[in-house]
Amino acid sequence: MGEAAGDGAGVPPVLLTEQASKRILVLDPRVRVWDPAARPEVVKWAFSPVGDARYRDTRADESWVYPSEAKARRYRGRTFLLTTASFGFVGVVEYPSGRRYWATAVGPGDDLFNPHTAEMLPDGNVAVACSTGARVRLYAASLGPHERRYGEAELKGAHGLHWDRERGVLWAMGDDELVAYGVGGTRVRPALVRRFAVPLPVAVPGKSAGGHDLFPVAGRPGRMWVSTSASVFQYDIGTGLFAQDFAGADRIARKSVKCVGDDPRTGQVVTTVPEKGLGETWWTTTVSVHRPESAYELVGGGIYKARWFRASTVG
């Protein structure tokens, strides 16, 4: 079970990639309408590398555009946030100090590679999925905060990553398939070895599934949440099947879901879906909560992803 960032054993804080203000936010789950301008106390923690000397070499003014991922991990007794931004930033940030475990800028500072998510491995190295770049990279981040050495594998539309501790594989999701990679080489010179792959469910034959978010199902070990352009599934690793037999599927399984995840203590699920009329077509001001149905609202927001702040242990 993951460790929550908040106090008590109730609903954990909510972790957002907030693109309108270019920040990662940790927000108070007891407040349903977050208005940081009127009530700054609803923001429990915030991160941006812009202007932070610890991240100067990442060219954050250029690379920290459209933060696209934030998820919490425990590694060697410390909590870290893994974060990416579409114009190249990738970082593993200690919580709550903001200290740099590792960070880099992928690509030339534009959206050529589009880092979409990251994952930490038990040896301290860090995997990155680059959607436009069609590749998964495994950086030798354990060597130091500025390390740029990596191994990589091609994956069309790489969007999702999850380290499977039980099976010792890195799951990666692209436009059309879910792939299990073994880790080869060494910690210093890592490599990714494709083990096997399964095609994602498609709504229209001959069309791309549009794989998007990949996240472990906290309430059902051995399953992973999978969101595609058309719907939301749980992939059962044991059977190799994509299922929609989960509680709340009638409300959770819908098109254009950008993120999905459940809290192991409450069973509540969070998702985000774009809404019209905002600064970008993929933004929303609403975090949907399921089981039971409710919602959070961020006044003036441009939310991309939302996750419960519970840190799962990777090493």
Side-chain angles (χ1 to χ4, degrees), residues 258-308:
K258 298 301 184 183
C259 63
V260 55
D262 60 312
D263 174 50
R265 290 186 175 175
T266 66
Q268 291 187 302
V269 178
V270 289
T271 60
T272 59
V273 173
E275 63 184 89
K276 295 179 180 179
L278 300 180
E280 300 291 353
T281 58
W282 56 86
W283 285 3
T284 184
T285 60
T286 302
V287 177
S288 298
V289 181
H290 313 274
R291 305 184 59 207
E293 295 293 316
S294 62
Y296 294 105
E297 178 188 352
L298 179 63
V299 175
I303 302 168
Y304 185 55
K305 288 179 180 175
R307 306 205 185 275
W308 296 122

Side-chain angles (χ1 to χ4, degrees), residues 162 166-167 215-225 233-239 241 243-249 262-265 267 291:
H162 170 59
E166 182 176 344
R167 295 160 187 84
F215 213 71
V217 179
R220 298 183 72 172
R223 285 195 174 202
M224 295 184 291
W225 291 105
F233 306 87
Q234 288 184 357
Y235 177 70
D236 189 309
I237 299 172
T239 65
L241 300 176
Q244 289 184 317
D245 60 354
F246 48 90
D262 60 312
D263 174 50
R265 290 186 175 175
R291 305 184 59 207

Side-chain angles (χ1 to χ4, degrees), residues 65-122:
V65 178
Y66 301 136
S68 53
E69 181 64 281
K71 56 187 181 185
R73 295 291 183 261
R74 290 282 292 174
Y75 177 69
R76 296 186 176 178
R78 293 188 291 166
T79 299
F80 295 97
L81 291 184
L82 280 65
T83 185
T84 60
S86 294
F87 277 30
F89 184 91
V90 184
V92 180
V93 180
E94 186 180 46
Y95 176 86
S97 70
R99 284 193 293 264
R100 172 179 178 163
Y101 170 82
W102 172 82
T104 193
V106 179
D110 57 19
D111 63 351
L112 175 64
F113 289 95
N114 195 1
H116 211 81
T117 190
E119 181 62 290
M120 201 167 191
L121 275 59

Side-chain angles (χ1 to χ4, degrees), residues 21-187:
S21 64
K22 297 184 180 180
R23 295 185 296 169
I24 303 301
L25 299 178
V26 176
L27 291 163
D28 189 340
R30 299 167 297 179
V31 178
R32 287 292 167 173
V33 178
W34 300 310
D35 188 348
R39 297 183 60 190
E41 69 273 12
V42 301
V43 178
K44 299 303 182 183
W45 187 81
F47 172 77
S48 167
V50 177
D52 189 328
R54 295 171 294 187
Y55 298 90
R56 183 181 294 114
D57 61 297
T58 66
R59 309 185 313 275
D61 286 341
E62 300 175 8
S63 64
W64 183 253
V65 178
Y66 301 136
S68 53
E69 181 64 281
K71 56 187 181 185
R73 295 291 183 261
R74 290 282 292 174
Y75 177 69
R76 296 186 176 178
R78 293 188 291 166
T79 299
F80 295 97
L81 291 184
L82 280 65
T83 185
T84 60
S86 294
F87 277 30
F89 184 91
V90 184
V92 180
V93 180
E94 186 180 46
Y95 176 86
S97 70
R99 284 193 293 264
R100 172 179 178 163
Y101 170 82
W102 172 82
T104 193
V106 179
D110 57 19
D111 63 351
L112 175 64
F113 289 95
N114 195 1
H116 211 81
T117 190
E119 181 62 290
M120 201 167 191
L121 275 59
D123 63 1
N125 287 342
V126 177
V128 181
C130 303
S131 59
T132 309
R135 67 198 69 192
V136 177
R137 284 183 171 177
L138 180 55
Y139 282 87
S142 60
L143 300 183
H146 302 273
E147 181 60 45
R148 295 183 58 84
R149 192 176 311 173
Y150 62 83
E152 67 179 13
E154 292 187 8
L155 179 61
K156 179 186 174 185
H159 262 70
L161 292 172
H162 170 59
W163 174 253
D164 187 335
R165 294 180 67 194
E166 182 176 344
R167 295 160 187 84
V169 297
L170 177 69
W171 293 96
M173 187 167 63
D175 282 344
D176 304 303
E177 59 183 348
L178 178 62
V179 182
Y181 290 103
V183 178
T186 66
R187 182 177 65 87

Side-chain angles (χ1 to χ4, degrees), residues 231-232 244-255 290-291 293:
S231 196
V232 175
Q244 289 184 317
D245 60 354
F246 48 90
D250 58 326
R251 302 298 295 270
I252 298 168
R254 60 210 197 279
K255 66 179 182 179
H290 313 274
R291 305 184 59 207
E293 295 293 316

